[in-house]
Amino acid sequence: MNKKVILASTSTLYNGGYLEYLLPVLSKHFENCQTLLFIPYARPGGITHDEYTSKVRQAFAKINIEVKGIHEFESPVLAIQEAQAIFTGGGNTFLLVSQLYHYHLIGILKETILGGTPYLGTSAGSNIGGMTMNTTNDMPIVLPESFTTLGLIPFNLNPHYLDPIEGSTHMGETRETRINEFHTISDIPVLGLREGSWLEVYGDNIILRGQLTARLFRQKDLPVEMAPSENLNFLQ
Amino acid sequence: MNKKVILASTSTLYNGGYLEYLLPVLSKHFENCQTLLFIPYARPGGITHDEYTSKVRQAFAKINIEVKGIHEFESPVLAIQEAQAIFTGGGNTFLLVSQLYHYHLIGILKETILGGTPYLGTSAGSNIGGMTMNTTNDMPIVLPESFTTLGLIPFNLNPHYLDPIEGSTHMGETRETRINEFHTISDIPVLGLREGSWLEVYGDNIILRGQLTARLFRQKDLPVEMAPSENLNFLQ
């Protein structure tokens, strides 16, 4: 398969600009692309599709790629099929997945990305790259038709992965506890991707990129830390 | 209406035993009850229904109330209708609501509580007391049939409410941001209930109890802090 996919934990690092830390990588990832289709459905903070697309347009202008929002097209299906490159931004995963099902785009998006159209996801846009959205951190502000997502990788992601806070007196669940709860009813592995990390999925190779380790959770196994540049092909 | 309901943010305070801080309140809330029906469906950490019920049994033994788990009855519907008192424990709200729909218990549970059977909810068990479960903090480990819950109060809860962490470099959403996202698509008010706080809903009176303030979010309004002993009847 010709997959060319980047799934990033976050769009923005603390003290950094939007997509700033990723631009050198994206410049190579999207080489030969003049235009990019942006999917703004996750609407972080409830901003409009136009506002969100305009923010993305400014970032990609720096690497000379022109951005159009999927909401600007009459047929979102054709927009996906004819795109040179596709980016799904972060926000609320429930809203994003609801909209993708509403417009019947899950199948067509998967097919197009597996066919080789380069894809970038950040946060919620990375979540949908996994098998299901069961391990999102987001608030369930709407009920999607299904939690099944694109399955570009044979496991799930937990973006913005957070380690337990030492000495916390808060009795809510830690991220690790939540993922372990998921594993009481599912055997899909989950990769906790810390901010600043991303997965590079080229063909059948899945490589962890960035400076940090990522935490891999498997049902009935102790979690392990994966080092940068390690591949996760063994999960296939 | 004869409602007699307690909805608590958490079952357990830091350094405290299970339900310990609430026992004096529960002793009064469940006065004249010899037995209590426990709903263990939320399975915190994936523990079994038997394990969870046994933990609850130990806590209620201290106030001389005998506990039976709903899973021990042949008919969960009859178990609810004939209960002297009902308690739904915390864990995963998605799992809890899925199971309540699976066994067709949402309607019967609501009717029974509105009819006067005293009810206690903690965490996930409090979430279901709201209009919908859209403002849970839990991970969506299963897809329930609907997010509509019991509506014992005319608003939603966010249990284990957490204030933003000063100086955090984490780029994931704060609890307030998530609730504001909910309010871009819904006008249901949301009460952020900090650990150690609970709502006492007796008849048509909804009173905030505990030592802490609670944060009330309304669509198109700035959030406000409610003081202990204040009532929330104006939301009706």
Side-chain angles (χ1 to χ4, degrees), chain B residues 36-189:
Chain B
L36 175 142
L37 178 72
F38 177 56
I39 301 179
Y41 294 150
R43 300 182 57 200
I47 61 172
T48 66
H49 295 154
D50 275 340
E51 285 165 344
Y52 200 6
T53 303
S54 149
K55 181 177 174 175
V56 170
R57 189 169 285 132
Q58 284 170 40
F60 277 94
K62 294 172 194 156
I63 54 171
N64 300 311
I65 293 177
E66 195 187 318
V67 171
K68 267 200 147 181
I70 194 168
H71 62 292
E72 300 169 40
F73 291 82
E74 199 168 324
S75 161
V77 170
L78 276 180
I80 288 172
Q81 286 175 323
E82 295 174 357
Q84 290 184 20
I86 301 172
F87 168 35
T88 307
N92 187 287
T93 309
F94 291 87
L95 199 53
L96 170 59
V97 172
S98 289
Q99 293 292 291
L100 290 175
Y101 274 102
H102 176 77
Y103 292 114
H104 308 288
L105 300 179
I106 288 280
I108 204 75
L109 188 55
K110 177 171 182 164
E111 202 175 279
T112 304
I113 299 168
L114 293 184
T117 305
Y119 177 82
L120 166 68
T122 59
S123 194
S126 295
N127 256 324
I128 63 169
M131 305 285 288
T132 72
M133 57 161 284
N134 288 109
T135 51
T136 175
N137 311 307
D138 295 335
M139 197 165 258
I141 62 175
V142 291
L143 181 69
E145 185 179 317
S146 163
F147 282 163
T148 301
T149 47
L150 301 175
L152 307 177
I153 47 175
F155 51 92
N156 277 0
L157 291 179
N158 179 257
H160 303 282
Y161 183 76
L162 263 185
D163 293 288
I165 297 164
E166 284 282 341
S168 170
T169 60
H170 187 70
M171 301 299 283
E173 295 89 350
T174 64
R175 197 65 65 78
E176 181 155 339
T177 305
R178 292 168 197 273
I179 294 169
N180 289 337
E181 273 181 5
F182 173 63
H183 278 151
T184 63
I185 55 171
S186 171
D187 63 0
I188 299 175

Side-chain angles (χ1 to χ4, degrees), chain A residues 134 137 140 171 178 181 195, chain B residues 45 134 137 140 171 178 195:
Chain A
N134 288 108
N137 311 309
M171 301 298 285
R178 291 167 198 274
E181 273 181 4
E195 291 176 346
Chain B
N134 288 109
N137 311 307
M171 301 299 283
R178 292 168 197 273
E195 292 176 345

